[in-house]
Amino acid sequence: MRQNSLSHSNSHRREAMAGALVLLLPFLFPSLFTPLSHALPSVFSEWNAPKPRHSRLLKSALQRQTPDEQLADLWRPLAQQQWKRCARSDSVSSLPEKSQGYIQVFLDGGLNQQRMGICDAVAVAKILNATLIIPHLEVNPVWQDSSTFMDIFDVDHFINVLKDDISIVKELPDEYFWSTREYYATAIRATRIKTAPVHASANWYIENVLPVLQSYGIAAIAPFSHRLAFDNMPEDIQRLRCKVNFQALVFVPHIRALGDALVTRLRYPPSTSEVDGSNYLRQVSDSKDKQGTGKFVVLHLRFDKDMAAHSACDFGGGKAEKLALAKYRQVIWQGRVLNSQFTDEELRSRGRCPLTPEEIGLLLAALGFDNSTRLYLASHKVYGGEARISTLRSLFPHMEDKKSLASSEERAQIKGKASLLAAVDYYVSMHSDIFISASPGNMHNAVVGHRTYENKKTIRPSMTLLGQLFLNKNLTWPEFQDAVVEGHKNRQGQLRLRKPQQSIYTYPAPDCMCNA
């Protein structure tokens, strides 16, 4: 009898080990299972459609009805506030009689991190009375995008707007042809500055970079991102950073043209009779829908695999997803993950977990957006694909993105280029009636700051409040809705003055704005 029991136990153990091996094989030898993973997604794919985690709230949200008065209040533009954008002219900027040399910077990160780095590069060139070479944008290791400054931004406009502030050249003079990214990657070079501390002061650059300029005529600063302080900076330098961000940096014409087309299609969607099978998304310029000028909200859904893995949170995708994210964390960060010592419940209660598409949909529904809302999805790649978005789409059936709004011919110029795709999303975000970002990040910070400067409505989710609400599985829809509405009354674009150490690009007042 005992022998049979042991045999039975060993059999179970072998079955469990075999089952674990089956689950692990696709991750250990992915090339062997690529065809099979498409045939049997339920076994091998991390992209299984997760079940709704808040089905009780979702059921009520799908049946919601928003009173007209609440809808009107929701879409009402932001009231004029105490601070407004302005072009200050109380100090006259002028170019130095002689340039101290050439400044090169190499910028990594995504589009919005690079945007902030460009603003700082102009400021450093001004501090040093140097000539700025158009910044070099590094190939993004995650998105593998090799787009240059000139592929993204209108370089002639950039130079012209800043012509009275600093000298800018598109290329290195012939005598410095050797000063390339490859040159600095092969050995220690006297002309490379690689010790710039995070948030370095203006004096640090004068003391450490100016001597290199005076000795060699050129200085290359790498790494450079976040290498200029926000505090204790001369007022004219702060204003110059604002001028670069809000005036000098505009996207190339074809990005603006595509952005304008998408905005028009969101505001004036073509009726059924206007849809042409061969070109569904042709420009609709003269017609208007029955409601007149349409309104739309942009949702920046920051839910890619990199973010999901780094958060250490559980997103309801089951064992396959947990294994995939664990492997990704090990490969990318060698197991070092932000907040990994906390449980999922602890992270959520502290507002440390990015909102899933389902959760951001419930937030929007609770705020009062109904199922007729025109929603533009600004996102590069959503982890889990369409399966992950399906719940959000059920709440907002009029949800659009670049693929649904633009023809294949229009998308051809930006296909596969993460920076250009992000530029289109940024442009549409700046022209929306309301902007909301599911999770903080560089895109969120850049757009929130820019829309603050333009006095446009922007909803900032309260991550801590939402984390705690979603943990309460007994919450009814009216209770959830009341808590969301009350918790976001003062998070809809109300201007906040920048505090010490905060970014001038996220909080542009008072540095970039005038008191009204």
Side-chain angles (χ1 to χ4, degrees), residues 255-269:
I255 293 292
R256 303 200 306 268
L258 178 55
D260 284 333
L262 299 187
V263 169
T264 298
R265 291 161 193 169
L266 285 161
R267 294 204 183 283
Y268 311 115

Side-chain angles (χ1 to χ4, degrees), residues 155-392:
V155 67
D156 292 324
H157 176 86
F158 178 75
I159 293 173
N160 185 58
V161 168
L162 300 171
K163 67 180 187 300
D164 295 327
D165 299 289
I166 68 165
S167 175
I168 305 173
V169 296
K170 296 180 182 179
E171 297 178 348
L172 278 168
D174 290 343
E175 61 188 295
Y176 299 111
F177 74 93
W178 45 266
S179 186
T180 62
R181 192 68 184 90
E182 293 71 28
Y183 173 76
Y184 294 111
T186 56
I188 296 174
R189 309 292 186 181
T191 52
R192 178 185 174 184
I193 310 297
K194 60 183 299 184
T195 57
V198 174
H199 304 314
S201 67
N203 282 340
W204 188 92
Y205 282 95
I206 292 170
E207 294 170 2
N208 294 274
V209 182
L210 187 57
V212 176
L213 282 176
Q214 292 169 336
S215 297
Y216 300 96
I218 190 169
I221 310 173
F224 184 72
S225 295
H226 310 300
R227 268 17 187 222
L228 185 63
F230 293 117
D231 302 321
N232 302 316
M233 197 62 58
E235 189 177 34
D236 63 318
I237 297 299
Q238 295 290 69
R239 292 179 184 176
L240 180 58
R241 294 163 100 173
C242 304
K243 184 176 181 179
V244 180
N245 195 27
F246 301 128
Q247 298 177 41
L249 285 176
V250 301
F251 297 122
V252 291
H254 76 86
I255 293 292
R256 303 200 306 268
L258 178 55
D260 284 333
L262 299 187
V263 169
T264 298
R265 291 161 193 169
L266 285 161
R267 294 204 183 283
Y268 311 115
S271 65
T272 305
S273 61
E274 292 171 328
V275 173
D276 182 339
S278 63
N279 185 11
Y280 166 72
L281 295 158
R282 57 184 166 66
Q283 182 82 19
V284 182
S285 55
D286 299 323
S287 63
K288 295 186 179 180
D289 59 12
K290 293 179 181 179
Q291 289 75 36
T293 301
K295 297 182 184 296
F296 71 96
V297 57
V298 167
L299 167 61
H300 177 232
L301 187 58
R302 186 171 177 255
F303 200 80
D304 54 62
K305 188 171 184 176
D306 191 71
M307 176 280 304
H310 198 261
S311 69
C313 299
D314 177 19
F315 299 105
K319 291 182 179 179
E321 182 176 278
K322 287 182 180 179
L323 283 169
L325 293 179
K327 180 190 175 187
Y328 189 89
R329 290 174 189 134
Q330 189 63 40
V331 171
I332 302 299
W333 297 295
Q334 289 76 49
R336 297 189 303 274
V337 179
L338 186 68
N339 296 318
S340 59
Q341 69 270 30
F342 298 110
T343 66
D344 183 71
E345 288 75 16
E346 289 171 332
L347 291 172
R348 290 189 181 281
S349 66
R350 299 180 186 194
R352 301 289 182 87
C353 291
L355 298 175
T356 65
E358 176 191 359
E359 290 168 343
I360 196 71
L362 290 171
L363 166 63
L364 290 170
L367 287 171
F369 292 101
D370 63 15
N371 60 8
S372 69
T373 300
R374 302 284 292 176
L375 185 66
Y376 177 84
L377 197 61
S379 181
H380 182 63
K381 282 185 179 179
V382 175
Y383 180 56
E386 185 60 35
R388 180 77 71 176
I389 304 173
S390 59
T391 304
L392 175 63

Side-chain angles (χ1 to χ4, degrees), residues 37 56 84 100 159 182 210 221 232 237 292 298 316 346 350 372 384 394 408 429-430 442 445 462 478 487 504:
S37 67
R56 184 176 179 179
K84 63 179 182 179
Q100 296 288 342
I159 293 173
E182 293 71 28
L210 187 57
I221 310 173
N232 302 316
I237 297 299
V298 167
E346 289 171 332
R350 299 180 186 194
S372 69
S394 69
S408 56
S429 298
M430 283 305 302
N442 288 321
N445 294 340
S462 174
I504 194 174

